Amino acid sequence: MSLGFLAPLMLVGALALAVPIAIHLIGRQRAKVVRFAALDFLMATKRKTAKRLRLRERVLLLVRALACLAVAVALAKPFTSCERKGPMVTRGPQAAVLVLDDSFASGYLIDGKPWLRHATEEARKILTQLGPEAEVAIVRSSEGADHPTELTRDHLRLRDQLLALEPSSRPADTTRALARAAQLLAASSHARKTVFLISLGAKTGFHGDESPWGKDGPVLVPLELRPPKLPNAAITALRVDADPGAGSRGAAFDAEVGNFSDTPAKLELQLAIGDRVVARGSLDVAAGGHATKRFIAMLPVGVRATDASVSLAPQRDALSTDDRRWVRASLRDDVRVLLVDGDPHTVRRDDELFYTEAALRPGDREDSGTSVRTITAEELAGIDPRHRAAGSGAPTEAPAIDLADFDVVVLANVAALPPERVTVLADWVRAGGGILVSSGDHVDPVAYDHSMLPLLPQSLRDPIDVTWGAAPDERDSRALHLVKWEADHPIFLPFKADAPELASAKYFKISLLGPTTATADRKVLARFTNGAAALVEASIGAGHTLLYTSTLDLDWNDLPVHPGYLPLLQQAVRHLARKHAVGTDADHLVGSSVVLPTVDLKKLEVRGPDGLGAVFEGDRIAGRSSVRFTRTDRPGIYKVIGTDQAGATHERDELAFVVNLDPHGSDLTPAPPSMLPASGAGEGTAPDDHRRRVELWHALAAILLLLLLAEGLLVQR
Amino acid sequence: MLPKQLDPSQLARLGSLPIKARVIVEGAISGLHRAAMHGSSVEFAEHKEYSPGDELRHVDWKAYAKGDRYYVKQFEQESQLTVYLVLDASASMAFGGGGIAKLEYAGLSLAALAYLVIQQQDKLGLLACGDRKIETIVPPRARTTHLHDVLAVLDGVMKRGAAGDESPAEALGRIAELTRRRRALIILATDLFDTEDNTLRALAALRAQRHDVSVLHIIDPHERTLPYEGLTQFESLETSNKMLVNPAAIRRDYQERMEAFLTKCRSTLAGAGVDYHLAMTDAPLEATLLELLVARSRLAPGRRAS
């Protein structure tokens, strides 16, 4: 630290120091001399006063001398320079953006205080140093954060923003924030443009190789505000599976733990189901590695679905937000499916339902969630009540079938049924059943029109073969593909918007549909590339019907050999049975949207862990099979409260879901300097040294004022 | 034509001390002194032409019958009164705030009294104290020419100026020795600035010896009010003490102390039976003398010197 003067010549003014001294001395000489007879009275009177007067005179001399000196020194504009602790900041008109890391990692405790507090303090200092003429914006670098639209000189508001800033629950997306900062600065007319990056600098916050700005971009000033190492441990994944080995209520919780530090760690974990801690365990995790801990636990008796969490406990680390992860654990109800085979075959692979059975009950496992019974179309006669009444005495006849034992009936390539059977089925559907009708060579549109209409969402027309007359090598290119499916529909939830496991399947032949029937809420869930409907849904009474315009085997398409076939069929039967598997395996991250099936509810309310949420009612829910909830801002359990058509309101455990942190944000390994975008020219000059000049004349002016005030008071006395 | 009231500072500018004394006595207070100072046992001395103010009982009616003119009979005192005038000429008497110095005021007063005393043909003695090195004493005589000697000495003291720190107490002691058993009238003109109250005690002792004692306490108005403004360095007239002070800050306290001092002097001397008169130097001299003479005329016959 050294002292210098901008106008050292002004120090000559320090000679003015002589003025008060001279005044003092002259004043002493100018004191009237009175030869006085009664001096003894005077001296006896005020010996103390005289002492005080002498002291006052001396203090007054000192104050006046200091005031003169202060004026001279202030005019010489003294300054001192000290090592920059902060960033290179110059004062004056300019445009600047403070990119502030408010990812959940910014809650990392450093010296007992969240890192974000240190960061906002630093940001406030920068604001002060930039001065009131600077146009500034604050851009938060957490993923999905709202960004400002313009720079402002309202520093007071910016300070309020800084004060109100709290760690979010999202990972850092520094690259996007820098790009936004560059956009804001590009709109400014100032020559000097600077981006101050106040970030934990985690590698995971940067993505892509592209720089957010070009050569003429702003000057980037990254701040080193973090210790070189920020050790952290986090639960990075949590999965729950049924564990039949532990009984019908057994569940296996697999918690993946990440150790983002340089030293191996022995971590204590605990599993809580509901509010109760049910298991504890420890886990050795290598430095920078991951390890999985499995807890086997029984779900409480009496509940079919509950929430569970695994946390690092009892001692959490400096970043506690990511030390816990939630999961929904629910006992799945088996969906009971009656498969009606319209084209049975002695060669299993050629059977109409060969792939369907495999998809609904993979590996024929008990825990597949589906129980399947396959019958032929003739055996379907067993559903007729009269037949059932007389059936016991006719051994050659089909065995009696009680439709109440099933949730879903699949009519796969079944020839048109007699009206009485259709009536029985339609009554059953109206009472809440679900029916899936697929097309095929046995499906005669005329006959279907004649008798099957009560079971269909729409009448059928003749099928078309798009490869008809095509040469074998052209066959594939003329095939149709599935496009435009309802991504928000529960059936398509497992699939992305352009999922190749569905889109790559080739359709060679499909049934066309006739004019729309009177079914009110008919809905096309998916279409082919030629615009023809592929999957149509409609409600019949309390039940649902689903019409698939192609075959469930390989006769008309090759979907059964594509990965999308199994989830599509499973979702379809679960949807028809209204036994959704929501929440059991879906891992929602903070900020993602969650699709909730409406399951005939009139009103649906979602409540997040902080009590906030959303209410869907009226137009937002009427006529929809699902709603989309987007306010997943906090990790934790989101409860769903539903009001059914009868007006009864209660918590819908099966719809509750959990939201977790994005585990990427837990890795705080610093990004190498090469990952930072190159600092642009900024069209301005940034100070190139690491020393900062502090002007002192303000302080001197304040001292001068105080001295003048003191002088005034002393003179008055 | 003299002004009705004599301004002491104007009077001081007049000629020699005898003239000043005559101006004061004949101009301002003629007619009073005779009654005040007449002896109790007298014998005829001479006739004097009547002048207004003379007592009618002394008019010689027989002479009037003879010459048709009024004559007043004058008597010679059978036993003469001895009057000692004591002038405090110590350095503190040199102070004269805005007008004449205290010494000059005191000198003029005593000169006027000397004139009166000699006119009454009483014995008049003079002592001046202050400077220990110079012995100033005029033994009492009653001759008219003696007045010139007394006034010359008085004039000399005044011209020499106030000096020294000798208290009047010593001079008063001398008088006690000189008068022995014969009672005298002692008139002291002083400022009584005596740190150890010796003067007050000496005055009381004289009074105890049945002498008639009057004190003219000469005080300058500035000493009473301390009217100075601004930073002032006060220097002692008698010692080397100095004091730099803002008078405004201490004025009130000083005035209280000064009043307490005056009250103490008055009460102490009154208690001892001493005739005390405070004489401010801005007061007309004849008024001061009149007050003294009137007060003396009112004294009980027993107290009156004979």
Side-chain angles (χ1 to χ4, degrees):
Chain A
M1 188 165 155
S2 60
L3 191 68
F5 295 94
L6 290 177
L9 272 181
M10 289 293 175
L11 283 178
V12 176
L15 291 176
L17 198 64
V19 174
I21 296 173
I23 289 174
H24 181 75
L25 293 176
I26 292 169
R28 277 184 82 91
Q29 285 171 359
R30 279 177 55 192
K32 263 186 303 188
V33 177
V34 173
R35 291 177 61 74
F36 199 64
L39 193 72
D40 286 347
F41 289 96
L42 280 179
M43 294 185 76
T45 305
K46 281 292 169 184
R47 207 171 286 280
K48 280 183 189 168
T49 310
K51 274 185 192 170
R52 211 165 55 204
L53 187 75
R54 200 173 301 125
L55 182 68
R56 191 201 75 148
E57 287 292 315
R58 286 177 186 171
V59 173
L60 200 59
L61 169 67
L62 185 70
V63 166
R64 285 171 175 165
L66 286 177
C68 285
L69 193 67
V71 169
V73 177
L75 286 175
K77 293 191 176 174
F79 67 87
T80 183
S81 54
C82 57
E83 284 291 330
R84 282 176 192 282
K85 284 180 185 165
M88 294 180 283
V89 183
T90 46
R91 203 176 171 83
Q94 59 188 301
V97 174
L98 308 177
V99 175
L100 210 60
D101 188 350
D102 70 329
S103 64
F104 68 81
S106 68
Y108 198 102
L109 294 179
I110 294 174
D111 301 331
K113 217 160 62 166
W115 173 88
L116 186 61
R117 289 274 77 81
H118 298 285
T120 50
E121 279 168 21
E122 195 61 29
R124 282 210 300 276
K125 280 186 206 162
I126 293 174
L127 264 184
T128 309
Q129 290 173 18
L130 286 172
E133 292 171 305
E135 291 195 326
V136 188
I138 293 168
V139 170
R140 294 184 288 141
S141 69
S142 63
E143 190 180 87
D146 293 334
H147 291 158
T149 53
E150 58 185 4
L151 302 170
T152 176
R153 279 191 188 162
D154 188 353
H155 289 205
L156 212 58
R157 190 159 56 86
L158 294 175
R159 282 171 189 279
D160 286 347
Q161 277 181 28
L162 286 174
L163 279 177
L165 208 55
E166 291 290 337
S168 70
S169 300
R170 304 195 185 193
D173 188 353
T174 316
T175 303
R176 179 171 163 266
L178 287 174
R180 181 60 193 151
Q183 283 173 4
L184 286 168
L185 289 173
S188 167
S189 57
H190 283 290
R192 196 190 304 161
K193 297 171 182 175
T194 317
V195 173
F196 296 96
L197 176 59
I198 309 173
S199 163
L200 281 163
K203 196 162 64 176
T204 48
F206 296 90
H207 51 81
D209 295 331
E210 79 278 14
S211 175
W213 51 68
K215 277 186 178 175
D216 293 334
V219 174
L220 177 68
V221 182
L223 271 76
E224 291 292 333
L225 262 188
R226 55 168 281 177
K229 288 179 184 174
L230 291 175
N232 183 33
I235 312 281
T236 53
L238 178 59
R239 200 173 57 250
V240 60
D241 291 302
D243 185 17
S248 62
R249 310 191 75 82
F253 295 86
D254 291 312
E256 187 188 79
V257 182
N259 175 17
F260 305 102
S261 70
D262 294 343
T263 50
K266 185 180 178 74
L267 299 168
E268 302 285 325
L269 287 92
Q270 68 180 29
L271 167 72
I273 294 178
D275 296 329
R276 271 188 62 211
V277 175
V278 295
R280 283 198 175 89
S282 64
L283 184 66
D284 291 312
V285 191
H290 287 74
T292 303
K293 174 80 181 175
R294 169 167 277 209
F295 290 102
I296 307 287
M298 305 283 284
L299 296 188
V301 177
V303 296
R304 299 212 57 81
T306 184
D307 49 72
S309 68
V310 170
S311 52
L312 293 176
Q315 290 200 331
R316 296 192 166 194
D317 57 18
L319 179 57
S320 59
T321 327
D322 60 4
D323 291 351
R324 190 175 189 191
R325 212 162 176 86
W326 287 265
V327 72
R328 281 294 291 179
S330 57
L331 298 172
R332 284 203 301 190
D333 282 338
D334 276 358
V335 178
R336 302 161 297 174
V337 183
L338 177 65
L339 295 175
V340 183
D341 193 344
D343 186 17
H345 212 283
T346 48
V347 180
R348 274 297 282 145
R349 199 164 59 84
D350 292 342
D351 191 285
E352 184 73 23
L353 289 172
F354 172 70
Y355 296 100
T356 310
E357 284 176 343
L360 292 179
R361 204 170 162 78
D364 201 21
R365 284 167 55 131
E366 284 295 325
D367 58 353
S368 62
T370 316
S371 63
V372 172
R373 181 178 170 190
T374 307
I375 57 170
T376 61
E378 288 73 29
E379 286 171 323
L380 192 62
I383 65 169
D384 190 336
R386 288 171 301 169
H387 173 83
R388 281 161 59 195
S392 55
T396 54
E397 293 289 333
I401 296 168
D402 187 355
L403 282 176
D405 293 337
F406 299 97
D407 302 307
V408 177
V409 172
V410 177
L411 300 179
N413 195 11
V414 174
L417 297 171
E420 60 273 15
R421 244 166 265 171
V422 171
T423 307
V424 172
L425 276 171
D427 288 344
W428 169 77
V429 172
R430 235 174 257 116
I435 189 161
L436 168 64
V437 181
S438 70
S439 191
D441 293 328
H442 293 284
V443 173
D444 175 12
V446 177
Y448 260 59
D449 258 8
H450 182 68
S451 62
M452 296 287 279
L453 275 181
L455 296 176
L456 298 178
Q458 204 163 346
S459 63
L460 283 168
R461 289 290 176 267
D462 287 334
I464 56 161
D465 187 347
V466 292
T467 58
W468 187 81
D473 53 344
E474 285 180 1
R475 200 174 134 86
D476 284 356
S477 63
R478 290 172 71 169
L480 299 174
H481 295 277
L482 275 177
V483 286
K484 291 184 183 173
W485 54 81
E486 291 282 323
D488 285 352
H489 195 278
I491 291 179
F492 291 101
L493 273 186
F495 305 104
K496 291 181 181 170
D498 55 349
E501 60 266 35
L502 285 182
S504 59
K506 294 188 278 284
Y507 286 80
F508 310 109
K509 193 172 179 183
I510 58 168
S511 282
L512 296 179
L513 297 179
T516 310
T517 64
T519 316
D521 52 355
R522 183 196 71 101
K523 194 171 187 181
V524 177
L525 302 182
R527 289 183 186 277
F528 294 113
T529 37
N530 65 349
L535 197 62
V536 187
E537 184 195 23
S539 300
I540 300 175
H544 287 267
T545 176
L546 206 58
L547 174 60
Y548 179 51
T549 59
S550 197
T551 57
L552 290 174
D553 64 358
L554 290 170
D555 285 353
W556 288 12
N557 62 69
D558 67 353
L559 178 67
V561 294
H562 281 79
Y565 183 73
L566 184 144
L568 181 70
L569 265 188
Q570 291 235 351
Q571 288 296 109
V573 297
R574 285 203 166 272
H575 172 63
L576 287 171
R578 259 94 91 239
K579 289 179 178 174
H580 298 279
V582 175
T584 50
D585 51 4
D587 193 10
H588 302 293
L589 298 180
V590 170
S592 65
S593 59
V594 176
V595 175
L596 296 166
T598 56
V599 283
D600 296 334
L601 292 171
K602 192 169 75 177
K603 178 182 170 190
L604 193 148
E605 182 185 350
V606 183
R607 279 190 200 154
D610 48 7
L612 301 172
V615 177
F616 299 91
E617 59 183 331
D619 290 347
R620 295 183 70 189
I621 193 168
R624 294 168 189 259
S625 54
S626 63
V627 292
R628 185 176 283 268
F629 176 74
T630 54
R631 298 176 62 180
T632 51
D633 295 328
R634 295 276 157 204
I637 302 145
Y638 285 72
K639 293 180 175 171
V640 178
I641 295 133
T643 306
D644 59 21
Q645 300 295 339
T649 301
H650 53 90
E651 203 171 312
R652 305 295 294 240
D653 262 349
E654 73 277 17
L655 294 181
F657 59 96
V658 296
V659 170
N660 284 308
L661 292 174
D662 188 336
H664 287 103
S666 298
D667 186 358
L668 303 179
T669 313
S674 59
M675 284 188 88
L676 284 173
S679 183
E683 294 179 32
T685 51
D688 51 358
D689 62 358
H690 279 271
R691 297 191 71 74
R692 191 164 64 96
R693 196 167 73 193
V694 182
E695 294 196 6
L696 301 172
W697 69 269
H698 308 86
L700 278 170
I703 290 171
L704 179 62
L705 273 177
L706 288 176
L707 286 172
L708 290 178
L709 189 71
E711 201 261 359
L713 286 174
L714 281 170
V715 167
Q716 285 293 316
R717 285 171 71 88
Chain B
M1 190 72 182
L2 281 165
K4 199 173 181 184
Q5 293 270 299
L6 289 169
D7 181 1
S9 52
Q10 286 177 0
L11 190 67
R13 285 196 289 273
L14 287 175
S16 62
L17 192 58
I19 298 172
K20 292 173 193 169
R22 196 158 57 86
V23 166
I24 296 165
V25 175
E26 292 187 349
I29 54 175
S30 60
L32 249 183
H33 59 283
R34 292 168 199 241
M37 286 292 193
H38 75 94
S40 58
S41 167
V42 294
E43 60 184 63
F44 176 75
E46 58 183 346
H47 277 109
K48 168 188 168 289
E49 196 167 353
Y50 175 80
S51 64
D54 287 346
E55 282 200 31
L56 285 176
R57 62 172 175 162
H58 289 151
V59 173
D60 190 344
W61 299 110
K62 286 178 183 171
Y64 171 68
K66 287 175 187 167
D68 200 20
R69 295 176 77 136
Y70 295 107
Y71 289 98
V72 178
K73 285 186 279 187
Q74 289 198 318
F75 305 90
E76 191 168 317
Q77 280 180 328
E78 194 175 61
S79 56
Q80 282 181 318
L81 172 69
T82 305
V83 178
Y84 282 99
L85 302 179
V86 184
L87 174 64
D88 180 1
S90 65
S92 66
M93 292 294 284
F95 183 73
I100 65 170
K102 290 192 285 185
L103 180 66
E104 207 162 351
Y105 193 93
L108 283 174
S109 306
L110 293 186
L113 288 172
Y115 191 87
L116 284 174
V117 170
I118 290 299
Q119 275 201 337
Q120 287 191 161
Q121 295 171 355
D122 284 333
K123 286 184 181 173
L124 174 69
L126 174 72
L127 278 92
C129 61
D131 195 344
R132 294 173 195 276
K133 288 177 283 183
I134 301 171
E135 187 84 0
T136 308
I137 180 162
V138 180
R141 299 278 188 279
R143 286 198 303 263
T144 313
T145 51
H146 184 61
L147 175 66
H148 296 284
D149 298 339
V150 169
L151 293 184
V153 170
L154 205 52
D155 202 20
V157 171
M158 285 163 68
K159 279 184 179 155
R160 199 163 62 230
D165 60 349
E166 191 189 19
S167 160
E170 293 177 24
L172 297 174
R174 294 278 303 281
I175 291 171
E177 290 170 12
L178 289 171
T179 54
R180 308 212 177 200
R181 268 177 269 167
R182 195 160 175 195
R183 285 183 289 169
L185 167 64
I186 299 146
I187 301 175
L188 170 64
T190 177
D191 57 11
L192 287 175
F193 287 167
D194 181 357
T195 48
E196 292 169 3
D197 295 344
N198 289 335
T199 309
L200 296 180
R201 276 198 293 275
L203 287 168
L206 282 177
R207 182 73 195 112
Q209 290 170 13
R210 304 181 64 80
H211 292 296
D212 198 354
V213 184
S214 284
V215 172
L216 272 179
H217 192 181
I218 314 290
I219 292 292
D220 191 279
H222 285 197
E223 285 175 334
R224 202 165 178 187
T225 56
L226 200 72
Y228 306 100
E229 294 296 341
L231 195 62
T232 309
Q233 175 147 318
F234 292 98
E235 293 178 0
S236 174
L237 286 165
E238 294 184 355
T239 63
S240 58
N241 287 341
K242 290 179 184 174
M243 186 174 168
L244 186 68
V245 74
N246 183 2
I250 60 166
R251 184 173 294 128
R252 198 164 158 188
D253 200 0
Y254 173 85
Q255 287 172 351
E256 283 172 5
R257 279 175 184 269
M258 179 53 78
E259 290 305 319
F261 166 70
L262 296 178
T263 308
K264 185 186 89 176
C265 290
R266 181 182 292 113
S267 60
T268 306
L269 294 176
V274 176
D275 185 22
Y276 172 87
H277 301 280
L278 178 63
M280 304 301 295
T281 58
D282 61 343
L285 263 170
E286 75 277 16
T288 304
L289 293 174
L290 270 177
E291 185 197 323
L292 175 74
L293 297 174
V294 168
R296 289 204 56 78
S297 70
R298 286 179 187 163
L299 283 175
R303 284 278 319 274
R304 208 176 282 167
S306 52

